[in-house]
Structure formats: C-alpha cells, structure tokens
Amino acid sequence: MKLSLSQLKKGLREKHLAFEKEAFSTFSEGSFNLKKEWNSDPTVIWEGEISDPNLKRKYKVEIHYGEDYPFHQPKVYPLDKKINNNRHQNPTPKNSSLPGDICIFQGNFSDWVVGTNCKEIIRRTTKWFLKFENGTLTNELAPPEIEMYYIKEIISSPQVIIAETIADFNNKKHGEFLWLPTKTGKFSFVATLKEESSQESTFRELIRLMNLVSPIDEGDSSNLKIGKWYLLNHEPFDPLPHSTSDLLKLIAKHISELDLNSLVLDIEAKPPPFLALCYKTRFGNIHWLIYELNFTSPPKSKKGDIFGFRKSSAHIKILQINEQNKTKIFLTHHLSKDSLFRRVSHYPLEKLNSSKVLVLGCGSIGSKVIDLLAKSGIENFYIADNDSLKIGNISRHLLPLNKVGFRKVDAVKDYLLQRNPFLDINTFDKDITGKEADFWLTNAIQKADLVISCIGNDATEAWVNYSTMLHSKQTLYCRVYAHATIGEIFLSKPKHICFNCLSELLSEDNTIPRPPQLNFEDMVMFDDADCGASFIPGSASDIDLVSLHCAKVAVDFLSSKTIQNSYWLIRGREFDAERNWKIDERLKQPYSVIGFSPIPRKSCSVCGFEASN
C-alpha cells in the first residue's frame, strides 16, 4: 500500500532518531542520557555535558530533536546560567523556560545535511563554547540586524526604511534625524538632519526613495517628528538595553564627550519621541537601532529642581524612575549597497560598481540583460531605445502591463531604480542613427567600459559598429533567430574582429554554422507592429536563455576574466519539425552553447584589422 506523506515523514524520523540513539551510546558512560522520548510531544531530548581538554569547565546542554527532524537541524540549548540569551543565541519564544539555542550552524539551513549525526553536532557545540570562553564569538558571521534579539519588544509597524544616501553622519558622534511616516502607517523613512543648506536636497531624496519603496503611499507630513541619534564605538553586545535608563547608560559609555549627567539632563529637558543607536557593522556600513522612548520626569519644585536632589546628582533620580520604563524597538530595513548585494558572492563588486555600460535596445533581450547586469553589481548605465511598450511585448519583456504606452527607456529605468536606488542611469529615447543622437551617443561610447547592442537590426548595428570602432570600444552584439530558438552573441574587438568582419566572414565561411533564416510566411505580423515590420515570436524562456549568456559574457569582461571565444550560438528548445528549416547538425542539440573564435581573412576598413599573409 502506498504511504502517505505524513507516514513517510514519520518513518524517516524514527529511522534517523534510532541512528542518533546508537551514536549517543558510543559516548563515554553517562555523558549523555535520553531525557524525553517521543510520546505526546514529538520532541526528543538528549541531556548531557560537553567536555573537552581545551575547555575550562564542563557545560551542561540539552539537544532537542523537533518535529521536523531530520529535515531541520536539532537545537542545542546551554543550561549554564552564565550563557543565557547571548548575542549568538537565537531568540527564545516568550514563554519558554529555556534560553536561546546556540547557532552552531550559523543559522544557515544549507549547512545542515540530513544524516549529520550527534557527533558532529557536539563537535560544533564544543567549538562554540571554546569561542565563548576566549571571547571570539563576536567575530562570527552573526547578522548585524540585532532587532531579532528584542523579539518581545519589537513593534512591527511602522517598519523603518533607512537609506545610506540620506543618513550622513558628517564625522559627528550625535545629532538629530527626521522621522517621516507614510499615511498608511506601513513605513516610516528616516534621514539625518544636516546643515541648513542641504536640508532641501535631503528631503527631496527622502521623497524619491519613498516613491520607489512605497509608490502607492505618500508621506504624512502632519506626523513628521525629530529624533536623536548617537554613534557608538561598536555594536552593543550583551547586556542589550531594554529600559530607558539602560539605553542612556549605554550611550554615555560609548561616547566619551557625553558624561551621563549631562546626557540624562539633556534628554529630560526635552525628551525626543525616538532615540537611535548607530554603529558600524563588519561590512563597514552603519546599522541603526531605533527606539520609541518611554520617558518619565520626576516631580519638581516651582524652581524646576528635582525634589531632594542637587543639580549635580539629579540624573541619578531620573535614571531610577526610568529603570522600569521599557523601550520599544522598530523593525528596520537598511537600504544600502551592502544590504542589496549581501547575497551576491564571488564577483569583484567594487570593480563592477564602478563600471559603465552602454546598452542599445531595451526590448525583450536588452531589458533582461540590463536587469541581470544591475543585479550583478553594475551601477552606471547609458540606455537607448526609441520605442514604447506595447501589449504584444509583455509576454517576453521585463516590464509589466502597467507600463504599456510608456517609453521603454523610462520604464526600464524606473524598474531598475525600484531594485537599486543607487544606480546612475542616463537614458536616450530617440533613433541613435539620427543627428540628434550624435552628441549623446559619442559621450556614452567614450565613457562606457563596454557597449552592448541588443537591436538585432543589421543596418543600425552597422552604424553602431562604425561608432564604437571609432572610439576603440569593445562591443557585445546579441540577437535571436528562428522564433528565438537560436541566439547569437558576438564580442567585437578593435583591430581584431568587428561586426563588419564577422558579417563578411559568415557569408563565405562554412566552418562556422549559420542560424537558419526564416521564410517570410514564417514571420508573424501583428497590428501593433510598425507598418511593414515583421515580428518573429518566441517564448520568454528562449529569450532569457540568450540574455543570460550575454550578461555572463559582459560580467566576465568587466571583471577582467579571460574570455576564450568571441562568437557564440545558443540553442534553445526543439524546432517544429514540420517546418524543416535548414539547420547545421551542430545546432540540433537543444539547450546548448557553442563557442567560436573566428578570424577574418580580409583586411577591414572599419576596425583596422589587417589579415596576415
């Protein structure tokens, strides 16, 4: 009889728990004991001591195999009172009697492998305790967003957006910040207040980001407030401040120019609604912890003095009263280059960030290529296209229906900025072969590190070839054939091979396969196409396959990697056999990439290539 998923899961769990029971039995006698079997509560608990010659003492722990084991890792809880909700322990549910479990797998699910037994778990736990003893836990790859350790106090609304473009500390240790919520109450945007002359530009940037992050909402200026920020020496480790008094003591401890007395009296004189702790993370950017201040002033005489205290010691009474005033902390989203590209690895991000790319054509291919390059870390773009988005574009294009009728360059720019507001995008929405394009195109080609043409039109790309060779710029050409089931990518190199060289070579050379040419009746005409233009349909998956390879070549080039070939043919899905297109045998294998290094046999007047004898 076929097992249900729940039966299969139960059987696998019992099997792996049996393996663990056998593994625990191999430890020294009495070091680990089964504390709780699988009965009404599916959690299985083993209790024991972690001991090692390098440890200063033994540590008692519980290892909990939860309901989702073995597909989720077991949790290790240290039972020592000295290790209770350490910075490197996961937050504990509100009503649990246990401290937080320790992050022996760095909180990364991919580190856990089904079948990892208790010996490896205990080895990692021992390593964690060694780091705890020598004080190196703070150097682990712990997340900088420590709001998760305030889980009981977090308030989820509004969520705070902090962008590095509007959070400038200007070498100060403390100052004021602007708090601008949206009318829906979903978000609040924060900006530091600088000199009077720059406040207008700061506010403009604030509104720009608000329109990108929350385009259907708007700022609620009636609830605009001013808070105070303090720049700490480093991340605040345990004990984390949970009361107003603890918060003020932590600030005074970190900022030498502020003694506790003057800080407390300053806050008491005019309590701000919000107070922020700022500190530098391991990535070098500034992280914010924003608190909603709950401040109580003690009773005062008519003169304004606190009853029973001199001015020099008045702060003591203020701290006493605010010792029980719990602070609330907001969930913050940090809009910075670091946070955007934290998951982008093995790319030279600094090099890509400074690269400049000119992309000609924002159609189905060009828009996808630009998107992939922006997500890879390239921040400076020149993009040109003289077309607007039509209904027929949507099935393959990057843009959605709400952009129909918009100029493609403007809509693509808006799309990209909503994903990375730090991009620098210069657009041109006219024909690049016309006179009015000469200045813009010349400037863009001169500044670009790479030109990418996704136009797919021989006449226009011949002009692109002349223009780029004039300025000795390498150019990547990308287009599709045969209902987008075959893609063609070509990297042109000055004085080596250019678009003109390749065109002549392919017309007479049989060693390189040619994409099949469609008959006119195979080209589909649409009402929304330009008069007399043919539209060659193809699915989005075919387009994406070609765009992906084009973007890969571009990133490799801009990363200064060695690129073996200069011409690629990308084969997509199966052809319609009934059409019987003439196709080279080398292009018949679906979903394949063939690379070539063509060398022209004739001298070229465009790129300066001279054929060898």
Side-chain angles (χ1 to χ4, degrees):
M1 187 173 67
K2 190 175 181 180
L3 293 174
S4 67
L5 281 176
S6 59
Q7 289 172 324
L8 177 63
K9 185 177 181 181
K10 181 179 179 182
L12 289 169
R13 190 165 184 270
E14 288 176 337
K15 175 183 175 183
H16 282 275
L17 286 172
F19 289 155
E20 288 294 84
K21 195 168 189 177
E22 184 177 347
F24 272 117
S25 67
T26 62
F27 289 117
S28 56
E29 187 175 350
S31 60
F32 272 89
N33 298 299
L34 184 61
K35 182 177 179 179
K36 179 186 169 300
E37 258 293 10
W38 185 5
N39 39 46
S40 57
D41 179 356
T43 303
V44 172
I45 301 174
W46 284 84
E47 184 183 74
E49 286 185 332
I50 300 291
S51 61
D52 187 271
N54 297 311
L55 286 172
K56 295 176 182 177
R57 57 193 176 90
K58 295 179 180 179
Y59 293 91
K60 191 175 181 180
V61 298
E62 282 186 6
I63 304 178
H64 289 222
Y65 294 83
E67 187 175 7
D68 293 324
Y69 178 80
F71 303 104
H72 287 260
Q73 65 196 48
K75 294 183 177 182
V76 180
Y77 296 94
L79 302 183
D80 193 300
K81 290 183 178 179
K82 294 182 179 179
I83 307 173
N84 189 353
N85 292 324
N86 179 277
R87 172 68 176 82
H88 294 268
Q89 289 173 258
N90 295 309
T92 306
K94 189 172 183 179
N95 298 320
S96 175
S97 60
L98 288 169
D101 60 293
I102 60 178
C103 48
I104 57 173
F105 286 94
Q106 294 293 308
N108 188 346
F109 181 78
S110 62
D111 284 353
W112 172 253
V113 178
V114 172
T116 302
N117 68 21
C118 55
K119 292 183 178 179
E120 174 62 15
I121 293 166
I122 290 170
R123 186 191 71 81
R124 285 175 176 253
T125 303
T126 304
K127 186 178 178 182
W128 192 94
F129 283 122
L130 285 168
K131 286 188 173 185
F132 172 78
E133 288 185 346
N134 61 32
T136 58
L137 275 176
T138 56
N139 298 322
E140 287 185 341
L141 195 63
E145 295 86 359
I146 64 175
E147 291 90 338
M148 64 185 293
Y149 295 91
Y150 290 83
I151 196 71
K152 296 175 187 176
E153 285 75 30
I154 274 188
I155 55 176
S156 59
S157 183
Q159 298 180 57
V160 182
I161 304 291
I162 302 169
E164 61 182 18
T165 53
I166 51 175
D168 184 5
F169 294 90
N170 201 23
N171 297 320
K172 294 181 180 178
K173 286 288 187 179
H174 54 90
E176 293 182 326
F177 67 85
L178 189 71
W179 169 282
L180 181 62
T182 58
K183 287 189 176 179
T184 61
K186 171 75 173 175
F187 296 109
S188 186
F189 290 75
V190 164
T192 54
L193 285 175
K194 299 176 252 185
E195 293 77 11
E196 192 70 34
S197 59
S198 64
Q199 284 191 21
E200 185 178 342
S201 61
T202 299
F203 194 77
R204 281 200 306 270
E205 176 67 2
L206 193 68
I207 299 301
R208 183 183 82 90
L209 292 172
M210 186 175 289
N211 290 335
L212 289 174
V213 176
S214 188
I216 61 174
D217 206 351
E218 57 183 21
D220 183 10
S221 56
S222 64
N223 280 318
L224 188 148
K225 292 182 173 62
I226 304 296
K228 290 190 175 184
W229 60 264
Y230 297 88
L231 186 61
L232 308 185
N233 296 326
H234 53 72
E235 177 184 345
F237 301 110
D238 286 341
L240 293 170
H242 286 83
S243 71
T244 301
S245 291
D246 290 341
L247 197 56
L248 297 177
K249 289 175 185 176
L250 180 65
I251 293 168
K253 180 181 177 181
H254 277 257
I255 303 178
S256 57
E257 63 191 70
L258 292 176
D259 66 88
L260 187 59
N261 184 357
S262 59
L263 172 66
V264 172
L265 292 177
D266 179 57
I267 295 292
E268 196 272 340
K270 190 178 179 181
F274 309 110
L275 195 149
L277 303 181
C278 308
Y279 60 90
K280 189 172 286 189
T281 73
R282 66 182 184 277
F283 299 106
N285 64 308
I286 301 295
H287 188 80
W288 289 56
L289 298 172
I290 301 182
Y291 298 84
E292 185 176 31
L293 210 59
N294 180 10
F295 195 89
T296 302
S297 294
K300 297 178 182 178
S301 67
K302 290 182 179 180
K303 293 182 179 180
D305 298 330
I306 295 173
F307 285 120
F309 286 82
R310 296 190 181 95
K311 285 186 178 180
S312 58
S313 58
H315 70 284
I316 297 174
K317 179 64 175 176
I318 297 171
L319 289 174
Q320 286 176 351
I321 289 179
N322 286 280
E323 194 65 49
Q324 302 303 317
N325 286 354
K326 298 295 182 183
T327 56
K328 290 185 177 181
I329 188 168
F330 293 92
L331 180 63
T332 58
H333 303 280
H334 290 75
L335 194 52
S336 64
K337 293 178 184 179
D338 154 59
S339 59
L340 285 171
F341 291 98
R342 191 173 298 169
R343 295 175 182 269
V344 177
S345 57
H346 305 297
Y347 279 125
L349 280 177
E350 190 173 339
K351 186 176 180 65
L352 291 175
N353 287 166
S354 61
S355 296
K356 296 180 176 65
V357 177
L358 166 60
V359 181
L360 303 171
C362 292
S364 301
I365 295 177
S367 64
K368 300 286 182 67
V369 170
I370 297 168
D371 183 41
L372 289 168
L373 295 181
K375 288 175 179 175
S376 298
I378 294 163
E379 293 188 345
N380 305 284
F381 290 95
Y382 294 86
I383 58 177
D385 194 300
N386 66 339
D387 196 11
S388 59
L389 191 72
K390 300 177 178 66
I391 292 287
N393 300 137
I394 298 299
S395 63
R396 307 191 307 173
H397 207 277
L398 180 76
L399 298 172
L401 275 171
N402 63 2
K403 294 299 181 182
V404 167
F406 285 75
R407 306 299 289 180
K408 287 180 180 177
V409 286
D410 296 329
V412 167
K413 178 179 179 178
D414 289 345
Y415 176 93
L416 295 175
L417 287 174
Q418 286 176 356
R419 281 143 187 81
N420 183 351
F422 309 111
L423 295 177
D424 183 6
I425 305 174
N426 191 297
T427 63
F428 188 77
D429 67 353
K430 296 178 177 62
D431 183 1
I432 61 166
T433 62
K435 280 187 177 181
E436 54 193 340
D438 289 352
F439 176 78
W440 186 90
L441 188 61
T442 299
N443 179 59
I445 291 173
Q446 287 176 338
K447 291 185 177 180
D449 298 297
L450 178 66
V451 179
I452 303 176
S453 176
C454 301
I455 298 169
N457 176 283
D458 284 345
T460 306
E461 289 189 327
W463 170 241
V464 172
N465 188 51
Y466 276 106
S467 305
T468 54
M469 290 303 107
L470 178 66
H471 298 285
S472 300
K473 284 295 166 77
Q474 297 203 4
T475 308
L476 199 55
Y477 297 86
C478 182
R479 59 169 67 181
V480 294
Y481 296 90
H483 293 192
T485 54
I486 290 185
E488 180 184 54
I489 298 173
F490 168 57
L491 181 60
S492 132
K493 303 175 182 178
K495 297 186 178 181
H496 178 71
I497 186 170
C498 73
F499 184 83
N500 182 63
C501 301
L502 183 71
S503 299
E504 292 182 355
L505 179 65
L506 294 180
S507 65
E508 61 187 36
D509 189 349
N510 295 324
T511 63
I512 298 176
R514 293 293 295 125
Q517 301 297 311
L518 292 186
N519 296 321
F520 186 78
E521 55 268 23
D522 291 325
M523 298 181 180
V524 180
M525 304 293 290
F526 283 107
D527 290 337
D528 62 357
D530 293 333
C531 181
S534 58
F535 183 86
I536 306 177
S539 71
S541 59
D542 302 315
I543 293 291
D544 285 2
L545 184 66
V546 180
S547 304
L548 178 64
H549 195 77
C550 179
K552 178 186 179 301
V553 174
V555 170
D556 285 348
F557 174 82
L558 295 168
S559 302
S560 301
K561 288 186 178 180
T562 301
I563 301 175
Q564 299 294 337
N565 302 304
S566 59
Y567 183 67
W568 297 266
L569 291 172
I570 296 94
R571 177 61 207 282
R573 56 190 160 93
E574 287 282 5
F575 289 123
D576 183 350
E578 292 181 3
R579 297 194 181 278
N580 195 27
W581 293 325
K582 293 180 180 179
I583 180 171
D584 190 286
E585 287 292 327
R586 288 167 288 182
L587 296 176
K588 286 190 174 180
Q589 181 60 41
Y591 301 105
S592 59
V593 178
I594 313 171
F596 303 92
S597 298
I599 300 175
R601 292 191 288 271
K602 296 179 181 178
S603 299
C604 180
S605 60
V606 179
C607 71
F609 172 79
E610 296 182 2
S612 58
N613 296 325

